[in-house]
Amino acid sequence: MGYAQLRELRTALTTASDIASSLRATPTRRDADQLVDALRRALTAAGSLGEATGPTGCALHPHGAVDPLHGDPEDPLPPGYGKCLLCNDRRRRADAPIRLHQRRPQPGRRRSA
C-alpha cells in the first residue's frame, strides 16, 4: 500500500463526507451526482490498496504514471494500450513513422567518388 493510494482514499472519503453533511432536506440531482462521484473515487481508491500491481496495472512500472488519455472517451487509446504512461509512450514511439535523415550535399563542396 502506497502513501499516495492512502491519501487518495482519505481525500475521497472526506469529500464524500463533506458533500453528505451539506445536503439539504431535498437534495438536487446535482448533489446526488457529486456524492456518487466522490463515493466511486473512494471505492476505487480502497480497491487499489491491496493491489500488488499498483495503479498502472503494469508489471514493469507498477507505481509509474497513469496515462492521462486512459479512459478518455473523446481521444481513446489504441487497442492493446494499458494505463501505464511509460509503456504507452514506448508503444507510441514504436508506432511512429520512421524518418530517414538524408544528407544533402553542401554548396561549394564536391562529392568524392
Side-chain angles (χ1 to χ4, degrees):
M1 164 177 30
Y3 175 74
Q5 293 167 316
L6 191 56
R7 185 181 63 210
E8 175 66 26
L9 174 61
R10 288 179 179 155
T11 300
L13 287 172
T14 300
T15 302
S17 177
D18 290 347
I19 293 170
S21 297
S22 67
L23 289 177
R24 292 175 245 129
T26 54
T28 64
R29 181 79 242 153
R30 183 174 182 264
D31 294 336
D33 289 341
Q34 286 178 335
L35 181 58
V36 167
D37 183 51
L39 289 171
R40 281 190 182 131
R41 282 195 320 261
L43 183 61
T44 301
S48 71
L49 291 179
E51 290 181 0
T53 60
T56 62
C58 175
L60 296 174
H61 313 103
H63 299 288
V66 174
D67 194 325
L69 294 179
H70 179 74
D72 186 355
E74 294 179 14
D75 191 11
L77 292 170
Y81 280 48
K83 290 171 66 174
C84 180
L85 178 63
L86 298 172
C87 289
N88 288 350
D89 184 53
R90 187 183 69 230
R91 287 182 187 103
R92 286 182 187 105
R93 290 174 189 264
D95 292 342
I98 297 173
R99 295 184 183 139
L100 298 176
H101 298 287
Q102 296 178 343
R103 285 192 167 160
R104 296 182 186 161
Q106 294 185 1
R109 296 186 95 181
R110 292 188 341 170
R111 296 178 78 183
S112 59

XYZ file of all heavy atoms in Angstrom:
854
model
N 0.860 -1.176 0.000
C 0.000 0.000 0.000
C 0.900 1.230 0.000
O 1.784 1.361 0.819
C -0.885 -0.038 1.234
C -1.544 1.264 1.550
S -2.678 1.284 2.947
C -2.120 0.089 4.051
N 0.671 2.104 -0.930
C 1.469 3.307 -1.028
C 0.803 4.487 -0.342
O -0.413 4.511 -0.126
N 1.636 5.454 -0.014
C 1.133 6.654 0.644
C 0.143 7.394 -0.254
O -0.885 7.895 0.208
C 2.301 7.568 1.015
C 1.857 8.882 1.581
C 1.357 8.967 2.879
C 1.906 10.041 0.825
C 0.925 10.173 3.397
C 1.488 11.252 1.333
C 0.995 11.311 2.620
O 0.564 12.502 3.129
N 0.436 7.454 -1.555
C -0.451 8.175 -2.476
C -1.823 7.523 -2.546
O -2.847 8.215 -2.607
C 0.185 8.234 -3.863
N -1.869 6.191 -2.509
C -3.156 5.492 -2.557
C -3.968 5.771 -1.299
O -5.173 6.000 -1.361
C -2.931 3.995 -2.703
C -2.318 3.601 -4.026
C -1.824 2.173 -4.007
O -1.195 1.742 -3.050
N -2.114 1.447 -5.060
N -3.303 5.746 -0.159
C -3.988 6.018 1.102
C -4.471 7.467 1.158
O -5.592 7.745 1.612
C -3.046 5.709 2.272
C -3.660 5.674 3.656
C -4.804 4.679 3.716
C -2.589 5.319 4.679
N -3.657 8.388 0.664
C -4.044 9.800 0.636
C -5.257 9.997 -0.272
O -6.177 10.749 0.063
C -2.862 10.646 0.165
C -3.166 12.141 0.221
C -2.015 12.962 -0.275
N -1.815 12.625 -1.680
C -0.645 12.667 -2.290
N 0.429 13.005 -1.646
N -0.559 12.368 -3.570
N -5.274 9.310 -1.427
C -6.419 9.407 -2.347
C -7.691 8.902 -1.685
O -8.759 9.505 -1.812
C -6.125 8.611 -3.622
C -7.277 8.549 -4.598
C -7.644 9.896 -5.198
O -6.773 10.780 -5.278
O -8.820 10.065 -5.577
N -7.591 7.795 -0.959
C -8.752 7.250 -0.249
C -9.262 8.239 0.795
O -10.459 8.510 0.869
C -8.398 5.917 0.412
C -9.486 5.304 1.301
C -10.738 5.007 0.490
C -8.966 4.061 1.988
N -8.367 8.780 1.586
C -8.770 9.739 2.631
C -9.409 10.981 2.028
O -10.411 11.490 2.543
C -7.561 10.119 3.477
C -7.102 9.011 4.373
C -5.891 9.410 5.170
N -5.474 8.330 6.045
C -4.242 8.169 6.495
N -3.298 9.040 6.169
N -3.941 7.163 7.287
N -8.830 11.481 0.945
C -9.378 12.668 0.294
C -10.782 12.401 -0.237
O -11.695 13.213 -0.055
C -8.457 13.120 -0.859
O -7.168 13.415 -0.322
C -9.001 14.334 -1.565
N -10.964 11.253 -0.892
C -12.279 10.919 -1.448
C -13.321 10.739 -0.345
O -14.467 11.173 -0.484
C -12.186 9.658 -2.302
N -12.929 10.098 0.753
C -13.872 9.908 1.862
C -14.223 11.233 2.533
O -15.381 11.458 2.906
C -13.301 8.930 2.886
C -13.284 7.468 2.450
C -12.529 6.616 3.461
C -14.694 6.945 2.249
N -13.248 12.106 2.683
C -13.509 13.423 3.272
C -14.438 14.234 2.374
O -15.373 14.883 2.855
C -12.186 14.184 3.491
O -11.355 13.419 4.366
C -12.421 15.556 4.094
N -14.190 14.180 1.076
C -15.056 14.888 0.126
C -16.477 14.351 0.188
O -17.447 15.124 0.234
C -14.501 14.757 -1.304
O -13.173 15.274 -1.349
C -15.367 15.488 -2.311
N -16.616 13.033 0.207
C -17.953 12.428 0.287
C -18.641 12.828 1.590
O -19.841 13.137 1.594
C -17.860 10.912 0.187
N -17.910 12.839 2.677
C -18.480 13.229 3.976
C -18.922 14.690 3.961
O -20.001 15.025 4.474
C -17.454 12.997 5.077
O -17.955 13.423 6.316
N -18.105 15.557 3.379
C -18.460 16.979 3.294
C -19.721 17.183 2.455
O -20.599 17.969 2.817
C -17.307 17.792 2.699
C -16.109 17.895 3.626
O -16.239 17.556 4.819
O -15.030 18.297 3.137
N -19.814 16.482 1.343
C -20.992 16.603 0.486
C -22.229 16.091 1.217
O -23.284 16.731 1.206
C -20.784 15.844 -0.842
C -19.705 16.520 -1.675
C -22.087 15.755 -1.628
C -19.252 15.718 -2.877
N -22.107 14.945 1.889
C -23.250 14.363 2.606
C -23.689 15.276 3.753
O -24.888 15.418 4.010
C -22.885 12.980 3.134
N -22.742 15.899 4.428
C -23.077 16.790 5.551
C -23.784 18.055 5.095
O -24.572 18.632 5.836
C -21.810 17.182 6.312
O -21.221 16.049 6.873
N -23.487 18.473 3.870
C -24.085 19.724 3.388
C -25.393 19.520 2.622
O -25.967 20.491 2.130
C -23.086 20.470 2.497
O -22.853 19.750 1.313
N -25.863 18.279 2.531
C -27.116 18.026 1.809
C -28.293 18.662 2.524
O -28.375 18.656 3.754
C -27.362 16.522 1.668
C -26.450 15.766 0.712
C -26.775 14.282 0.753
C -26.577 16.303 -0.697
N -29.214 19.186 1.726
C -30.434 19.771 2.273
C -31.489 18.681 2.416
O -31.266 17.534 2.061
C -30.935 20.869 1.327
C -29.990 22.059 1.296
C -30.430 23.089 0.275
N -29.346 23.107 -0.729
C -29.527 22.993 -2.015
N -30.722 22.883 -2.520
N -28.520 23.006 -2.837
N -32.645 19.054 2.928
C -33.732 18.087 3.118
C -34.139 17.457 1.790
O -34.486 16.280 1.738
C -34.935 18.768 3.774
N -34.105 18.233 0.735
C -34.422 17.701 -0.590
C -33.221 17.957 -1.505
O -33.128 18.994 -2.162
C -35.668 18.380 -1.179
O -35.469 19.792 -1.168
C -36.916 18.034 -0.388
N -32.294 17.004 -1.556
C -31.103 17.203 -2.392
C -31.454 17.220 -3.882
O -32.403 16.557 -4.309
C -30.211 16.010 -2.066
C -31.047 15.042 -1.336
C -32.270 15.739 -0.848
N -30.694 17.990 -4.610
C -30.900 18.071 -6.056
C -30.193 16.898 -6.739
O -29.409 16.183 -6.125
C -30.332 19.385 -6.622
O -28.913 19.383 -6.423
C -30.942 20.597 -5.928
N -30.487 16.708 -7.997
C -29.821 15.647 -8.779
C -28.317 15.890 -8.830
O -27.517 14.984 -8.779
C -30.423 15.643 -10.204
C -29.851 14.594 -11.105
C -30.477 13.236 -10.816
N -29.456 12.314 -10.376
C -29.644 11.261 -9.580
N -30.825 11.003 -9.110
N -28.688 10.474 -9.232
N -27.935 17.166 -8.937
C -26.511 17.529 -8.977
C -25.825 17.141 -7.670
O -24.715 16.613 -7.686
C -26.372 19.023 -9.244
C -24.937 19.488 -9.379
C -24.891 20.969 -9.799
N -23.535 21.398 -9.974
C -22.821 22.022 -9.047
N -23.363 22.310 -7.878
N -21.580 22.385 -9.277
N -26.478 17.385 -6.528
C -25.912 16.996 -5.231
C -25.701 15.485 -5.165
O -24.658 15.008 -4.717
C -26.837 17.422 -4.085
C -26.950 18.929 -3.934
O -26.014 19.646 -4.361
O -27.981 19.387 -3.406
N -26.700 14.751 -5.606
C -26.613 13.297 -5.586
C -25.497 12.798 -6.506
O -24.744 11.889 -6.147
C -27.946 12.682 -5.984
N -25.377 13.397 -7.687
C -24.324 13.002 -8.621
C -22.934 13.274 -8.053
O -22.016 12.476 -8.226
C -24.492 13.715 -9.958
C -25.688 13.212 -10.752
O -26.176 12.091 -10.448
O -26.134 13.937 -11.665
N -22.770 14.406 -7.380
C -21.479 14.726 -6.763
C -21.136 13.717 -5.668
O -19.989 13.280 -5.559
C -21.495 16.144 -6.181
C -21.435 17.224 -7.227
C -21.492 18.608 -6.606
O -22.011 18.795 -5.498
N -20.966 19.585 -7.319
N -22.116 13.345 -4.874
C -21.887 12.380 -3.810
C -21.530 11.012 -4.389
O -20.588 10.357 -3.928
C -23.119 12.274 -2.905
C -23.003 11.293 -1.727
C -21.834 11.664 -0.831
C -24.302 11.274 -0.948
N -22.238 10.586 -5.409
C -21.951 9.299 -6.052
C -20.545 9.304 -6.642
O -19.794 8.338 -6.507
C -23.016 8.977 -7.127
C -22.577 7.832 -8.013
C -24.340 8.662 -6.460
N -20.151 10.404 -7.274
C -18.818 10.509 -7.865
C -17.735 10.394 -6.787
O -16.742 9.672 -6.959
C -18.683 11.823 -8.628
C -17.348 11.950 -9.314
O -16.959 11.006 -10.033
O -16.684 12.992 -9.140
N -17.923 11.089 -5.670
C -16.949 11.029 -4.574
C -16.877 9.629 -3.979
O -15.791 9.121 -3.661
C -17.302 12.053 -3.494
N -18.020 8.974 -3.845
C -18.027 7.615 -3.299
C -17.379 6.619 -4.262
O -16.700 5.681 -3.829
C -19.459 7.194 -2.964
C -20.066 7.915 -1.755
C -21.548 7.590 -1.638
C -19.321 7.562 -0.482
N -17.569 6.830 -5.562
C -16.906 5.952 -6.543
C -15.389 6.115 -6.483
O -14.648 5.136 -6.587
C -17.409 6.247 -7.956
C -18.748 5.631 -8.235
C -19.107 5.725 -9.702
N -20.427 5.154 -9.907
C -21.408 5.721 -10.567
N -21.228 6.886 -11.132
N -22.572 5.129 -10.689
N -14.934 7.366 -6.343
C -13.490 7.586 -6.220
C -12.957 6.903 -4.967
O -11.877 6.301 -4.987
C -13.180 9.081 -6.176
C -13.229 9.739 -7.541
C -12.579 11.117 -7.551
N -12.842 11.919 -6.384
C -13.765 12.875 -6.313
N -14.499 13.160 -7.358
N -13.939 13.553 -5.201
N -13.718 6.973 -3.872
C -13.304 6.316 -2.636
C -13.272 4.804 -2.813
O -12.340 4.131 -2.353
C -14.244 6.702 -1.491
N -14.264 4.251 -3.480
C -14.312 2.811 -3.709
C -13.145 2.351 -4.582
O -12.504 1.333 -4.305
C -15.647 2.428 -4.352
C -15.885 0.939 -4.587
C -15.856 0.177 -3.272
C -17.213 0.737 -5.285
N -12.855 3.104 -5.618
C -11.721 2.779 -6.493
C -10.412 2.844 -5.721
O -9.560 1.959 -5.844
C -11.674 3.738 -7.697
O -12.888 3.633 -8.421
C -10.499 3.433 -8.601
N -10.245 3.876 -4.911
C -9.020 4.015 -4.119
C -8.908 2.894 -3.097
O -7.823 2.340 -2.889
C -8.996 5.378 -3.422
N -10.013 2.519 -2.471
C -9.988 1.431 -1.493
C -9.661 0.106 -2.169
O -8.918 -0.712 -1.622
C -11.337 1.339 -0.772
N -10.184 -0.106 -3.356
C -9.902 -1.339 -4.080
C -8.456 -1.459 -4.510
O -7.926 -2.558 -4.640
N -7.793 -0.334 -4.726
C -6.398 -0.372 -5.174
C -5.414 -0.540 -4.025
O -4.228 -0.769 -4.268
C -6.055 0.891 -5.960
O -5.990 2.007 -5.101
N -5.895 -0.490 -2.790
C -4.983 -0.607 -1.648
C -4.317 -1.969 -1.587
O -3.153 -2.077 -1.262
C -5.714 -0.329 -0.329
C -6.166 1.101 -0.108
C -6.901 1.215 1.217
C -4.985 2.050 -0.125
N -5.024 -3.007 -1.915
C -4.459 -4.339 -1.820
C -3.830 -4.851 -3.098
O -3.330 -5.960 -3.140
N -3.821 -4.045 -4.147
C -3.266 -4.481 -5.413
C -1.753 -4.529 -5.352
O -1.101 -3.603 -4.901
C -3.678 -3.524 -6.538
C -5.135 -3.603 -6.894
C -5.487 -2.655 -8.033
O -4.595 -1.956 -8.525
O -6.661 -2.624 -8.396
N -1.210 -5.638 -5.798
C 0.241 -5.772 -5.850
C 0.809 -5.086 -7.079
O 1.981 -4.763 -7.128
C 0.623 -7.238 -5.855
N -0.012 -4.861 -8.096
C 0.481 -4.281 -9.338
C 0.514 -2.767 -9.335
O 1.115 -2.176 -10.209
C -0.388 -4.746 -10.519
O -1.726 -4.322 -10.287
C -0.330 -6.233 -10.693
N -0.116 -2.121 -8.409
C -0.103 -0.664 -8.360
C -1.173 -0.049 -9.239
O -1.937 -0.751 -9.909
N -1.224 1.269 -9.278
C -2.298 1.947 -10.004
C -2.228 1.782 -11.522
O -3.236 1.890 -12.200
C -2.130 3.411 -9.610
C -0.724 3.541 -9.162
C -0.338 2.203 -8.601
N -1.042 1.494 -12.070
C -0.934 1.362 -13.524
C -1.350 -0.013 -14.006
O -1.659 -0.185 -15.180
C 0.503 1.612 -13.999
O 1.353 0.629 -13.424
C 0.972 3.001 -13.643
N -1.321 -1.015 -13.136
C -1.607 -2.377 -13.548
C -0.480 -2.973 -14.373
O -0.649 -4.001 -15.020
N 0.666 -2.350 -14.356
C 1.807 -2.746 -15.176
C 2.821 -3.504 -14.325
O 3.188 -3.052 -13.243
C 2.456 -1.501 -15.783
S 3.953 -1.812 -16.709
N 3.281 -4.642 -14.844
C 4.277 -5.426 -14.119
C 5.647 -4.746 -14.128
O 6.417 -4.874 -13.170
C 4.388 -6.817 -14.727
N 5.954 -3.988 -15.180
C 7.253 -3.312 -15.270
C 7.301 -2.014 -14.479
O 8.335 -1.666 -13.910
C 7.594 -3.014 -16.737
C 7.787 -4.212 -17.643
C 7.964 -3.762 -19.087
C 8.991 -5.024 -17.187
N 6.205 -1.269 -14.487
C 6.152 0.048 -13.830
C 4.914 0.126 -12.928
O 3.996 0.904 -13.201
C 6.088 1.157 -14.878
C 7.069 1.009 -15.995
N 6.702 0.555 -17.238
C 8.405 1.213 -16.042
C 7.768 0.512 -18.010
N 8.818 0.900 -17.316
N 4.859 -0.673 -11.857
C 3.628 -0.737 -11.057
C 3.236 0.585 -10.408
O 2.058 0.851 -10.220
C 3.926 -1.802 -10.013
C 5.401 -1.910 -9.969
C 5.902 -1.516 -11.319
N 4.208 1.403 -10.101
C 3.891 2.683 -9.451
C 4.271 3.858 -10.340
O 4.557 4.949 -9.852
C 4.589 2.762 -8.096
C 4.138 1.675 -7.168
N 2.896 1.662 -6.592
C 4.750 0.546 -6.765
C 2.764 0.573 -5.857
N 3.885 -0.124 -5.949
N 4.263 3.621 -11.652
C 4.553 4.690 -12.602
C 3.342 5.583 -12.801
O 2.313 5.440 -12.138
N 3.467 6.475 -13.744
C 2.386 7.424 -14.028
C 1.291 6.752 -14.847
O 1.567 5.909 -15.697
C 2.939 8.616 -14.798
N 0.058 7.134 -14.576
C -1.088 6.641 -15.342
C -1.261 7.563 -16.548
O -1.211 8.786 -16.427
C -2.363 6.637 -14.477
C -3.578 6.267 -15.304
C -2.200 5.678 -13.311
N -1.439 6.968 -17.718
C -1.606 7.732 -18.954
C -2.861 8.594 -18.843
O -3.949 8.089 -18.574
C -1.730 6.780 -20.143
C -1.577 7.485 -21.479
O -2.014 8.650 -21.598
O -1.031 6.869 -22.406
N -2.740 9.919 -19.021
C -3.913 10.792 -18.891
C -4.987 10.522 -19.945
O -6.131 10.911 -19.760
C -3.345 12.203 -19.034
C -1.999 12.046 -19.614
C -1.523 10.670 -19.298
N -4.636 9.855 -21.036
C -5.631 9.538 -22.059
C -6.391 8.250 -21.756
O -7.356 7.935 -22.440
C -4.970 9.414 -23.433
C -4.377 10.702 -23.999
C -3.738 10.436 -25.348
C -5.427 11.780 -24.102
N -5.967 7.522 -20.731
C -6.657 6.276 -20.389
C -8.080 6.602 -19.923
O -8.293 7.376 -18.998
C -5.918 5.529 -19.284
C -6.604 4.262 -18.876
N -6.598 3.137 -19.648
C -7.348 3.969 -17.800
C -7.289 2.194 -19.059
N -7.764 2.679 -17.929
N -9.058 6.029 -20.589
C -10.454 6.259 -20.224
C -11.061 7.508 -20.826
O -12.208 7.834 -20.541
N -10.310 8.223 -21.672
C -10.830 9.436 -22.293
C -11.720 9.047 -23.475
O -11.236 8.503 -24.465
C -9.673 10.308 -22.774
C -10.121 11.655 -23.316
O -11.345 11.893 -23.411
O -9.245 12.482 -23.643
N -13.030 9.309 -23.409
C -13.922 8.893 -24.491
C -13.712 9.698 -25.778
O -13.980 9.211 -26.858
C -15.324 9.119 -23.925
C -15.153 10.134 -22.858
C -13.757 9.950 -22.312
N -13.206 10.927 -25.670
C -13.018 11.761 -26.852
C -11.742 11.409 -27.616
O -11.655 11.613 -28.815
C -13.004 13.238 -26.458
C -14.339 13.718 -25.937
C -14.299 15.174 -25.535
O -13.333 15.880 -25.898
O -15.233 15.609 -24.844
N -10.727 10.920 -26.909
C -9.452 10.578 -27.531
C -8.973 9.247 -26.957
O -8.039 9.192 -26.172
C -8.424 11.685 -27.254
C -7.166 11.529 -28.079
O -7.156 10.702 -29.003
O -6.184 12.240 -27.799
N -9.639 8.144 -27.330
C -9.311 6.851 -26.724
C -7.946 6.336 -27.164
O -7.443 6.676 -28.234
C -10.426 5.931 -27.223
C -10.879 6.551 -28.495
C -10.696 8.035 -28.328
N -7.365 5.528 -26.310
C -6.090 4.890 -26.626
C -6.323 3.774 -27.645
O -7.394 3.175 -27.681
C -5.470 4.307 -25.361
C -4.989 5.322 -24.334
C -4.614 4.616 -23.035
C -3.808 6.102 -24.865
N -5.328 3.478 -28.455
C -5.465 2.364 -29.415
C -5.627 1.034 -28.682
O -5.248 0.907 -27.517
C -4.145 2.398 -30.185
C -3.588 3.762 -29.975
C -4.080 4.209 -28.635
N -6.159 0.038 -29.350
C -6.308 -1.282 -28.720
C -4.951 -1.826 -28.273
O -3.944 -1.650 -28.947
C -6.890 -2.153 -29.839
C -7.491 -1.194 -30.804
C -6.704 0.073 -30.701
N -4.943 -2.469 -27.122
C -3.715 -3.045 -26.586
C -2.963 -2.124 -25.646
O -2.030 -2.553 -24.975
N -3.324 -0.855 -25.602
C -2.668 0.076 -24.699
C -3.284 -0.061 -23.309
O -4.486 -0.250 -23.180
C -2.846 1.513 -25.171
C -1.902 1.932 -26.286
C -1.709 1.139 -27.402
C -1.215 3.119 -26.217
C -0.862 1.521 -28.420
C -0.362 3.518 -27.228
C -0.185 2.709 -28.322
O 0.662 3.091 -29.328
N -2.453 0.045 -22.273
C -2.920 -0.064 -20.905
C -2.950 1.287 -20.217
O -3.011 2.331 -20.871
N -2.858 1.269 -18.903
C -2.892 2.501 -18.115
C -1.502 3.110 -17.915
O -1.378 4.268 -17.584
C -3.510 2.222 -16.746
C -4.992 1.932 -16.798
C -5.546 1.452 -15.479
C -5.495 2.481 -14.394
N -6.161 2.027 -13.160
N -0.439 2.329 -18.120
C 0.928 2.775 -17.828
C 1.403 3.781 -18.881
O 1.505 3.456 -20.069
C 1.875 1.582 -17.772
S 3.588 2.051 -17.420
N 1.724 4.983 -18.445
C 2.181 6.026 -19.352
C 3.526 5.660 -19.977
O 3.753 5.904 -21.161
C 2.289 7.359 -18.609
C 2.801 8.541 -19.422
C 1.846 8.860 -20.556
C 3.000 9.752 -18.531
N 4.416 5.055 -19.204
C 5.740 4.707 -19.724
C 5.647 3.671 -20.840
O 6.286 3.804 -21.885
C 6.631 4.199 -18.584
C 6.898 5.217 -17.474
C 7.612 4.560 -16.306
C 7.691 6.386 -18.001
N 4.858 2.638 -20.631
C 4.692 1.613 -21.673
C 3.955 2.176 -22.881
O 4.304 1.863 -24.025
C 3.952 0.398 -21.119
S 4.949 -0.563 -19.959
N 2.946 3.001 -22.653
C 2.204 3.593 -23.768
C 3.098 4.527 -24.579
O 2.995 4.590 -25.802
C 0.965 4.329 -23.277
C -0.108 3.385 -22.810
O -0.025 2.178 -23.015
N -1.123 3.911 -22.156
N 3.989 5.262 -23.907
C 4.919 6.136 -24.613
C 5.851 5.301 -25.498
O 6.125 5.660 -26.643
C 5.722 6.973 -23.623
C 6.636 7.956 -24.322
O 6.141 8.720 -25.164
O 7.853 7.933 -24.042
N 6.317 4.174 -24.975
C 7.172 3.277 -25.755
C 6.404 2.757 -26.971
O 6.947 2.705 -28.074
C 7.639 2.116 -24.874
C 8.665 1.224 -25.567
C 9.069 0.054 -24.720
N 7.934 -0.858 -24.605
C 7.481 -1.357 -23.465
N 8.054 -1.054 -22.332
N 6.444 -2.181 -23.456
N 5.139 2.409 -26.789
C 4.327 1.939 -27.910
C 4.123 3.037 -28.945
O 4.181 2.797 -30.156
C 2.967 1.452 -27.409
C 3.025 0.143 -26.670
C 1.619 -0.294 -26.241
N 1.705 -1.455 -25.401
C 1.564 -1.439 -24.072
N 1.317 -0.307 -23.444
N 1.663 -2.551 -23.385
N 3.883 4.263 -28.480
C 3.698 5.381 -29.403
C 4.958 5.613 -30.243
O 4.885 5.857 -31.436
C 3.348 6.656 -28.640
C 1.946 6.689 -28.103
C 1.661 8.011 -27.388
N 0.380 7.976 -26.747
C 0.193 7.838 -25.438
N 1.216 7.730 -24.612
N -1.023 7.823 -24.935
N 6.111 5.539 -29.587
C 7.371 5.734 -30.310
C 7.597 4.620 -31.322
O 8.098 4.858 -32.417
C 8.537 5.805 -29.335
C 8.530 7.067 -28.505
C 9.634 7.017 -27.453
N 9.523 8.089 -26.514
C 10.201 9.231 -26.607
N 11.041 9.402 -27.598
N 10.051 10.176 -25.713
N 7.243 3.402 -30.948
C 7.418 2.269 -31.861
C 6.472 2.371 -33.053
O 6.816 1.941 -34.157
C 7.189 0.960 -31.126
N 5.290 2.938 -32.846
C 4.308 3.063 -33.915
C 4.532 4.293 -34.791
O 3.914 4.422 -35.841
C 2.891 3.118 -33.346
C 2.475 1.802 -32.713
O 3.105 0.776 -33.004
O 1.506 1.817 -31.920
N 5.423 5.200 -34.363
C 5.659 6.437 -35.122
C 6.354 6.108 -36.444
O 7.145 5.175 -36.522
C 6.516 7.397 -34.305
N 6.046 6.874 -37.483
C 6.709 6.621 -38.769
C 8.208 6.890 -38.665
O 8.650 7.791 -37.964
C 6.034 7.604 -39.728
C 5.398 8.634 -38.866
C 5.131 7.992 -37.535
N 8.966 6.090 -39.374
C 10.422 6.231 -39.360
C 10.793 7.374 -40.294
O 10.367 7.436 -41.446
C 11.100 4.930 -39.815
C 10.759 3.822 -38.843
C 12.591 5.114 -39.939
C 11.244 2.465 -39.283
N 11.622 8.263 -39.800
C 12.096 9.384 -40.617
C 13.550 9.122 -40.974
O 14.402 9.030 -40.105
C 11.978 10.689 -39.848
C 10.551 11.057 -39.547
C 10.495 12.398 -38.874
N 9.127 12.698 -38.521
C 8.751 13.248 -37.393
N 9.634 13.578 -36.494
N 7.485 13.481 -37.153
N 13.792 8.996 -42.229
C 15.157 8.780 -42.684
C 15.812 10.133 -42.911
O 15.281 10.992 -43.608
C 15.173 7.966 -43.973
C 14.578 6.563 -43.870
C 14.562 5.910 -45.235
C 15.383 5.734 -42.894
N 16.959 10.297 -42.307
C 17.691 11.551 -42.471
C 18.620 11.393 -43.663
O 19.470 10.516 -43.686
C 18.493 11.878 -41.217
C 17.627 12.082 -40.020
N 16.865 13.200 -39.852
C 17.385 11.297 -38.949
C 16.201 13.112 -38.717
N 16.488 11.957 -38.146
N 18.443 12.212 -44.635
C 19.296 12.167 -45.808
C 20.265 13.331 -45.747
O 19.886 14.450 -45.413
C 18.464 12.250 -47.079
C 17.539 11.075 -47.269
C 16.700 11.229 -48.526
O 16.598 12.322 -49.063
N 16.128 10.142 -48.976
N 21.478 13.000 -46.049
C 22.471 14.070 -46.096
C 22.332 14.792 -47.421
O 22.267 14.176 -48.476
C 23.869 13.506 -45.968
C 24.188 13.099 -44.584
C 25.640 12.832 -44.498
N 26.030 12.738 -43.110
C 27.110 12.165 -42.696
N 27.941 11.607 -43.553
N 27.404 12.130 -41.426
N 22.313 16.051 -47.337
C 22.251 16.870 -48.540
C 23.658 17.398 -48.821
O 24.346 17.812 -47.900
C 21.300 18.032 -48.350
C 19.879 17.596 -48.141
C 18.986 18.794 -47.998
N 17.649 18.354 -47.668
C 16.738 19.133 -47.125
N 17.010 20.388 -46.874
N 15.544 18.662 -46.853
N 24.027 17.382 -50.065
C 25.350 17.941 -50.356
C 25.355 19.433 -50.050
O 24.392 20.151 -50.355
C 25.551 17.672 -51.844
C 24.221 17.274 -52.381
C 23.368 16.870 -51.223
N 26.411 19.857 -49.411
C 26.515 21.273 -49.064
C 27.047 22.052 -50.262
O 27.896 21.559 -51.008
C 27.429 21.449 -47.859
C 26.841 20.825 -46.616
C 27.706 21.106 -45.406
O 28.726 21.773 -45.494
N 27.290 20.597 -44.266
N 26.570 23.246 -50.471
C 27.028 24.045 -51.611
C 28.533 24.311 -51.519
O 29.070 24.558 -50.435
C 26.248 25.365 -51.495
C 25.242 25.151 -50.420
C 25.592 23.921 -49.677
N 29.208 24.217 -52.654
C 30.633 24.508 -52.691
C 31.511 23.321 -52.359
O 32.736 23.400 -52.456
N 30.932 22.221 -51.943
C 31.727 21.030 -51.626
C 31.516 19.999 -52.713
O 30.398 19.757 -53.132
C 31.316 20.438 -50.283
C 31.594 21.381 -49.134
C 31.300 20.689 -47.853
N 32.547 20.123 -47.346
C 32.631 19.423 -46.243
N 31.565 19.176 -45.552
N 33.778 18.957 -45.829
N 32.600 19.388 -53.106
C 32.495 18.357 -54.133
C 32.353 17.007 -53.453
O 32.949 16.778 -52.412
C 33.728 18.366 -55.023
C 33.785 19.614 -55.834
C 34.845 19.642 -56.880
N 35.932 18.690 -56.707
C 36.846 18.449 -57.608
N 36.809 19.105 -58.752
N 37.804 17.596 -57.417
N 31.566 16.196 -54.073
C 31.402 14.845 -53.565
C 32.585 14.008 -54.038
O 32.973 14.054 -55.187
C 30.106 14.238 -54.062
C 28.887 14.991 -53.545
C 27.638 14.416 -54.092
N 27.340 13.186 -53.338
C 26.326 12.404 -53.602
N 25.546 12.662 -54.619
N 26.104 11.338 -52.891
N 33.143 13.251 -53.150
C 34.246 12.373 -53.543
C 33.697 11.107 -54.145
O 32.664 10.602 -53.735
C 35.130 12.074 -52.334
O 34.355 11.462 -51.327
N 34.409 10.578 -55.111
C 33.937 9.394 -55.825
C 34.392 8.122 -55.189
O 35.218 7.892 -54.481
C 34.392 9.433 -57.265
